[in-house]
Amino acid sequence: DAGVTQSPTHLIKTRGQQVTLRCSPKSGHDTVSWYQQALGQGPQFIFQYYEEEERQRGNFPDRFSGHQFPNYSSELNVNALLLGDSALYLCASSLSRGSTDTQYFGPGTRLTVL
Amino acid sequence: SQQGEEDPQALSIQEGENATMNCSYKTSINNLQWYRQNSGRGLVHLILIRSNEREKHSGRLRVTLDTSKKSSSLLITASRAADTASYFCATAAGTYKYIFGTGTRLKVLA
């Protein structure tokens, strides 16, 4: 049973560029959440996707957008990258049986913006 | 914004000792979870405790929840070097997101 997978592992971009991060949820899970974790901080909620729709969003600008596909996999897109976007981006999957439930995290994508 | 605050921020103990870390939060919750993170990689789910539960055990882990004080504690008994990691609490408050604390960095010395 594969867990949550993310790609790529590491990514280096320059300011102003755009980036796409990918996530495949744990088998049987239908909900994907994305988090940003700056160095030395706890993860910050970006948004959650369920049934191919953004169900809830955290305090992140519109430069952060996402998508969920019919197979429940998801993408996180960040436009017009800023130095402050450098962080570990974590994807978490869960089975939506109500509001929140146990979230299983992938290994993350380390984004460096130069 | 961070909902949970872990205490202490850092903890260093000898192998075999017990480690206790605390989490305080601000609003009413549905459940609270503890996660472990090694070396800035993905988070590993440790335990979930619901708002109507007061204590839960899983192997060497013991979690308590006091909703009147809006606090939780994680106890790791008989710690091992492999327990060295950052530990986070995350609260769910009736929405679809978890709010994470700032974490406790635990170092277990062999």
Side-chain angles (χ1 to χ4, degrees):
Chain A
D1 179 24
V4 180
T5 60
Q6 292 186 243
S7 63
T9 305
H10 295 88
L11 205 51
I12 299 175
K13 292 286 188 178
T14 56
R15 281 178 297 175
Q17 285 189 311
Q18 179 264 343
V19 68
T20 297
L21 311 181
R22 295 177 176 83
C23 170
S24 291
K26 182 178 168 66
S27 179
H29 284 185
D30 59 6
T31 303
V32 173
S33 302
W34 286 93
Y35 292 82
Q36 180 195 66
Q37 186 178 22
L39 200 61
Q41 300 295 315
Q44 297 277 317
F45 177 80
I46 302 175
F47 42 53
Q48 183 181 88
Y49 275 84
Y50 171 65
E51 292 188 340
E52 303 179 48
E53 296 286 333
E54 182 183 293
R55 181 156 71 171
Q56 186 158 6
R57 188 179 185 91
N59 295 326
F60 280 80
D62 292 344
R63 299 186 297 108
F64 290 77
S65 63
H67 189 77
Q68 185 178 35
F69 300 94
N71 66 353
Y72 306 119
S73 67
S74 177
E75 289 182 348
L76 165 65
N77 301 292
V78 186
N79 294 321
L81 285 167
L82 304 174
L83 295 178
D85 295 331
S86 294
L88 181 68
Y89 287 84
L90 295 162
C91 166
S93 75
S94 56
L95 183 60
S96 186
R97 292 176 291 193
S99 57
T100 49
D101 208 334
T102 299
Q103 295 191 339
Y104 293 85
F105 283 80
T109 294
R110 174 75 62 187
L111 173 65
T112 301
V113 182
L114 302 176
Chain B
S1 63
Q2 304 278 166
Q3 147 100 304
E5 295 288 335
E6 284 91 343
D7 169 55
Q9 290 187 337
L11 181 60
S12 186
I13 59 174
Q14 294 292 326
E15 207 168 27
E17 293 182 335
N18 295 341
T20 299
M21 51 204 86
N22 304 295
C23 167
S24 60
Y25 55 91
K26 299 174 185 175
T27 63
S28 297
I29 61 171
N30 294 336
N31 66 61
L32 183 147
Q33 298 188 37
W34 285 91
Y35 287 86
R36 184 185 75 228
Q37 186 176 40
N38 292 86
S39 304
R41 298 305 290 172
L43 281 80
V44 174
H45 177 258
L46 296 176
I47 199 164
L48 178 153
I49 186 165
R50 301 196 185 278
S51 58
N52 60 352
E53 297 175 311
R54 291 296 168 259
E55 186 170 315
K56 209 161 181 182
H57 297 255
S58 177
R60 294 185 295 113
L61 307 179
R62 173 179 170 255
V63 168
T64 62
L65 179 64
D66 187 335
T67 53
S68 66
K69 295 182 180 178
K70 292 187 170 58
S71 68
S72 174
S73 67
L74 170 66
L75 168 68
I76 304 174
T77 60
S79 62
R80 306 165 181 168
D83 295 327
T84 294
S86 292
Y87 292 82
F88 294 91
C89 68
T91 52
T95 59
Y96 297 112
K97 66 180 182 181
Y98 278 104
I99 301 177
F100 283 79
T102 51
T104 292
R105 293 184 303 280
L106 173 66
K107 188 168 186 178
V108 181
L109 305 170

